[in-house]
Amino acid sequence: MNARFIVSAALVAAAVIYQPAQAQQPEIQRTDLVKEDISVAGKEVVQVRVDFNPGAFAVNHRHPGEEVAYVLKGTLEYKLEGREAVTLQAGQSLFIPDGVVHSARNVGEGKASELATYIVTKNAKLLETVK
């Protein structure tokens, strides 16, 4: 084999290996944990883990029911319509009433995570973005 072929093959292999490392990670990742009917007619409980990369921002949105957000890791800032922004650390929680428009941002140095528990209208779209 000639040296030019070996160098070319090595460059192609390096590019293929390097490519996945450069793939952009999603800023926010949601992991569904629980979705079950509850004893209130037409309602269900939904629980998800939401992981925020540094600086990640969950745009204004609302849910078809109540939410309890519990910060598992990091620092998150929540803005609820009609209220001052609140910054929560790991171990703190926040109640978000039915239909209230809100956003969340990772304002800490590293990754942040929350455990979100919703009591919502059964089979409704869990999240509606709002401009």
Side-chain angles (χ1 to χ4, degrees):
M1 278 191 213
N2 74 32
R4 187 176 291 168
F5 175 80
I6 292 172
V7 169
S8 295
L11 288 173
V12 168
V16 168
I17 292 168
Y18 185 71
Q19 187 70 19
Q22 291 298 311
Q24 188 173 2
Q25 296 294 317
E27 286 194 15
I28 298 174
Q29 181 180 1
R30 186 179 101 189
T31 304
D32 296 339
L33 302 171
V34 173
K35 183 176 180 180
E36 292 289 333
D37 292 347
I38 61 172
S39 60
V40 177
K43 297 289 184 174
E44 65 186 354
V45 63
V46 177
Q47 191 171 63
V48 302
R49 179 185 172 121
V50 185
D51 296 299
F52 296 76
N53 280 337
F57 177 65
V59 299
N60 280 336
H61 62 281
R62 67 175 144 230
H63 308 285
E66 288 81 13
E67 174 185 1
V68 176
Y70 175 79
V71 179
L72 296 167
K73 173 181 169 183
T75 306
L76 293 168
E77 178 186 74
Y78 296 89
K79 291 186 180 179
L80 280 66
E81 182 177 44
R83 298 187 191 175
E84 293 291 319
V86 61
T87 302
L88 302 180
Q89 305 283 334
Q92 295 180 306
S93 59
L94 174 69
F95 176 76
I96 303 169
D98 182 6
V100 170
V101 175
H102 59 284
S103 64
R105 179 185 305 275
N106 180 352
V107 294
E109 301 271 330
K111 289 188 175 187
S113 301
E114 75 171 13
L115 180 65
T117 304
Y118 309 92
I119 303 296
V120 292
T121 302
K122 188 174 176 176
N123 297 319
K125 184 177 176 185
L126 185 59
L127 184 142
E128 174 190 354
T129 58
V130 178
K131 292 187 181 206

